[in-house]
Amino acid sequence: MRFFTATERDRLIANYVASGEALAKDSAIDHWPVVKLFTPYASATWLLTEFDPEENVAFGLCDLGLGEPELGYVSLTELAEGSESSQTFVERDRYWEADGPLSAYAGRARELRQIPDSSLTTGDCSPDPSP
């Protein structure tokens, strides 16, 4: 299962490499999310900034719909296996574009207790009213 395009994959890997280099210099980079994954029939969302192709894991803001979004790693192998073996399909939001760094999304998600559906810059980052 493919979760991102070749261009998105290249950007995610470049961010992963840049973060590794920054960490080696005792620094950090606040990347903008590259891709948004979600479950259309559940309430899980992932905003991914980095991808380690050797381990097949991505880093970003993860929200499993439990009211506790957090920064962390997600195994794309496990997402693919879960998506293939159950009704919890994981899809890429083809129309979503980030409009701020991951830290801004994380801060807003902590306030709302979920990743906001709308743009960070519009001021309307209310949660989706649907259950």
Side-chain angles (χ1 to χ4, degrees):
M1 170 169 278
R2 292 183 44 160
F3 291 115
F4 25 80
T5 66
T7 301
E8 290 167 337
R9 183 179 192 279
D10 291 344
R11 287 179 55 207
L12 289 163
I13 292 171
N15 286 352
Y16 170 73
V17 170
S19 289
E21 292 170 353
L23 186 59
K25 297 176 184 175
D26 204 26
S27 185
I29 302 173
D30 191 9
H31 296 291
W32 285 37
V34 175
V35 65
K36 175 184 178 182
L37 303 179
F38 69 101
T39 54
Y41 304 109
S43 53
T45 304
W46 298 266
L47 301 182
L48 304 178
T49 59
E50 301 175 24
F51 175 59
D52 175 352
E54 290 182 22
E55 299 293 326
N56 202 34
V57 296
F59 178 81
L61 182 60
C62 307
D63 180 2
L64 300 180
L66 304 173
E68 297 294 330
E70 61 185 11
L71 295 172
Y73 292 89
V74 60
S75 165
L76 297 183
T77 302
E78 289 181 17
L79 282 185
E81 288 171 357
S83 190
E84 292 170 0
S85 67
S86 71
Q87 295 297 324
T88 311
F89 300 104
V90 176
E91 296 183 13
R92 175 178 57 92
D93 187 337
R94 296 180 297 163
Y95 305 103
W96 183 84
E97 289 186 32
D99 59 359
L102 189 61
S103 63
Y105 283 97
R108 193 66 177 131
R110 276 191 224 80
E111 292 173 14
L112 298 172
R113 300 181 55 100
Q114 69 180 38
I115 294 174
D117 283 333
S118 55
S119 169
L120 288 172
T121 59
T122 64
D124 177 23
C125 290
S126 57
D128 182 6
S130 62

